[in-house]
């Protein structure tokens, strides 16, 4: 017990000695600053200026990070709101609005260099850009009534557009379905077809890349087409 008390007393003496040394060192430093202030003040001012600049830079960086975070959150919320469009709302769009919708979905899914080129002299393309993997794409958009079908001649136009733009991938997006001949033509020439049902999935959050692998499928058999006609006329 006496030995432990002695060790604690020795440790206390060492701590007290360190405190005294620190106090003396601080007092000497303050005295030196006061005595040599005329020589020290430029350095002190420099330290204050650099500290102020550093603090300002940190504040600007933090503000930028917060602004970027709010922008990302806003874009995410906007994409969610866009995905809440119904196909009935899409049917009510103009052709230009539909092209803008498709371009926006492409951007949402990570496509780059996306721009709408539809209009007079568009050479059969409505949207061009690059897929997330870097391949160039050309997109044809047709907002038709659900009761109509896409004829193979329109896919031939897209095939010519792919050649004209030198695109790696051609994609045909529509609010209706494809005829049997157009299905066959698209499959034979590597054209990705996004019919009404797949457009609904895409609009609701499915990625474009997931649709590339199921191109043209899902239009069903004769009974499915009969139900389609009964639904849409």
């Amino acid at each position: 017990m006496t030995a432990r008390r002695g060790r604690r007393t020795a440790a206390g003496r060492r701590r007290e000695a360190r405190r005294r040394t620190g106090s003396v060192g601080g007092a000497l430093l303050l005295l030196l600053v006061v005595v040599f202030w005329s020589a020290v003040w430029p350095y002190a001012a420099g330290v204050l200026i650099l500290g102020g600049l550093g603090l300002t830079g940190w504040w600007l960086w933090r503000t930028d990070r917060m602004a970027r975070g709010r922008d990302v959150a806003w874009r995410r919320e906007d994409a969610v709101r866009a995905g809440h469009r119904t196909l009935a709302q899409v049917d009510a769009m103009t052709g230009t609005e539909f092209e803008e919708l498709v371009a926006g979905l492409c951007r949402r899914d990570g496509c780059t260099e996306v721009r709408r080129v539809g209009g007079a002299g568009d050479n059969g393309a409505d949207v061009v850009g690059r897929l997330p993997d870097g391949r160039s794409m050309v997109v044809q958009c047709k907002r038709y009534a659900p009761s109509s079908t896409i004829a193979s001649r329109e896919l031939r136009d897209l095939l010519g557009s792919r050649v004209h733009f030198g695109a790696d991938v051609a994609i045909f997006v529509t609010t209706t379905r494809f005829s049997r001949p157009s299905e066959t033509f698209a499959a034979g020439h590597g054209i990705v077809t996004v019919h009404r049902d797949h457009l609904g999935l895409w609009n609701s959050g499915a990625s474009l890349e997931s649709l590339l692998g199921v191109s043209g499928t899902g239009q069903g058999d004769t009974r499915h087409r009969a139900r389609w006609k009964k639904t849409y006329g």
Side-chain angles (χ1 to χ4, degrees), residues 10 22 30 42 63 70 72 100 114-115 118 121 128 156 170 176 182-183 197 218 223:
L30 180 61
T63 302
R70 286 193 295 268
V72 169
E100 292 288 359
V114 178
R115 58 190 178 92
V128 296
R156 291 192 186 94
T176 185
S182 63
E183 280 187 84
D197 293 340
R223 287 178 297 177

Side-chain angles (χ1 to χ4, degrees), residues 185-219:
F185 184 88
H189 292 84
I191 298 174
V192 177
T193 51
V194 180
H195 53 72
R196 184 179 184 86
D197 293 340
H198 288 169
L199 174 62
L201 293 173
W202 191 18
N203 181 57
S204 297
S207 69
L208 176 58
E209 287 184 296
S210 70
L211 299 178
L212 299 181
V214 295
S215 168
T217 61
Q219 294 206 129

Side-chain angles (χ1 to χ4, degrees), residues 76-91 93 97-98 100-106 108-109 173-175 194-208 210-211:
R76 187 180 298 113
E77 291 172 2
D78 187 61
V80 171
R81 286 194 298 270
H84 289 166
R85 296 186 190 93
T86 64
L87 286 177
Q89 290 174 309
V90 175
D91 290 335
M93 291 180 173
E97 288 172 338
F98 182 57
E100 292 288 359
L101 168 66
V102 171
L105 291 173
C106 290
R108 183 202 70 186
D109 291 344
V173 184
T174 182
T175 53
V194 180
H195 53 72
R196 184 179 184 86
D197 293 340
H198 288 169
L199 174 62
L201 293 173
W202 191 18
N203 181 57
S204 297
S207 69
L208 176 58
S210 70
L211 299 178

Side-chain angles (χ1 to χ4, degrees), residues 20-206:
R20 285 198 299 270
T21 302
S23 300
V24 172
L28 287 175
L29 179 62
L30 180 61
L31 179 62
L32 289 173
V33 169
V34 172
V35 172
F36 298 102
W37 175 248
S38 60
V40 170
W41 78 263
Y43 301 101
V47 170
L48 290 174
I49 292 172
L50 289 176
L53 290 175
L55 182 62
T56 302
W58 174 83
W59 180 81
L60 291 173
W61 173 82
R62 184 172 178 273
T63 302
D64 179 70
R65 287 292 298 272
M66 292 176 63
R68 288 175 183 271
R70 286 193 295 268
D71 182 67
V72 169
W74 175 82
R75 289 180 183 276
R76 187 180 298 113
E77 291 172 2
D78 187 61
V80 171
R81 286 194 298 270
H84 289 166
R85 296 186 190 93
T86 64
L87 286 177
Q89 290 174 309
V90 175
D91 290 335
M93 291 180 173
T94 65
T96 299
E97 288 172 338
F98 182 57
E99 292 166 7
E100 292 288 359
L101 168 66
V102 171
L105 291 173
C106 290
R107 295 188 188 98
R108 183 202 70 186
D109 291 344
C111 296
T112 58
E113 301 177 23
V114 178
R115 58 190 178 92
R116 191 184 71 83
V117 295
D122 60 9
N123 294 298
D126 293 317
V127 176
V128 296
R130 289 189 177 277
L131 293 166
D133 60 12
R135 288 180 295 169
S136 58
M137 66 176 183
V138 59
V139 185
Q140 179 66 270
C141 309
K142 291 297 182 186
R143 188 204 53 78
Y144 286 166
S147 57
S148 62
T149 56
I150 300 298
S152 55
R153 67 176 179 275
E154 300 198 66
L155 289 161
R156 291 192 186 94
D157 292 341
L158 179 56
L159 185 62
S161 179
R162 184 174 70 183
V163 174
H164 174 80
F165 285 93
D168 299 314
V169 180
I171 305 173
F172 199 111
V173 184
T174 182
T175 53
T176 185
R177 57 186 292 115
F178 295 87
S179 67
R180 282 285 183 83
S182 63
E183 280 187 84
T184 304
F185 184 88
H189 292 84
I191 298 174
V192 177
T193 51
V194 180
H195 53 72
R196 184 179 184 86
D197 293 340
H198 288 169
L199 174 62
L201 293 173
W202 191 18
N203 181 57
S204 297

Side-chain angles (χ1 to χ4, degrees), residues 177-178 180 183 218-231:
R177 57 186 292 115
F178 295 87
R180 282 285 183 83
E183 280 187 84
Q219 294 206 129
D221 54 14
T222 303
R223 287 178 297 177
H224 182 86
R225 287 193 293 276
R227 288 194 297 269
W228 180 285
K229 290 180 180 179
K230 184 178 180 179
T231 301

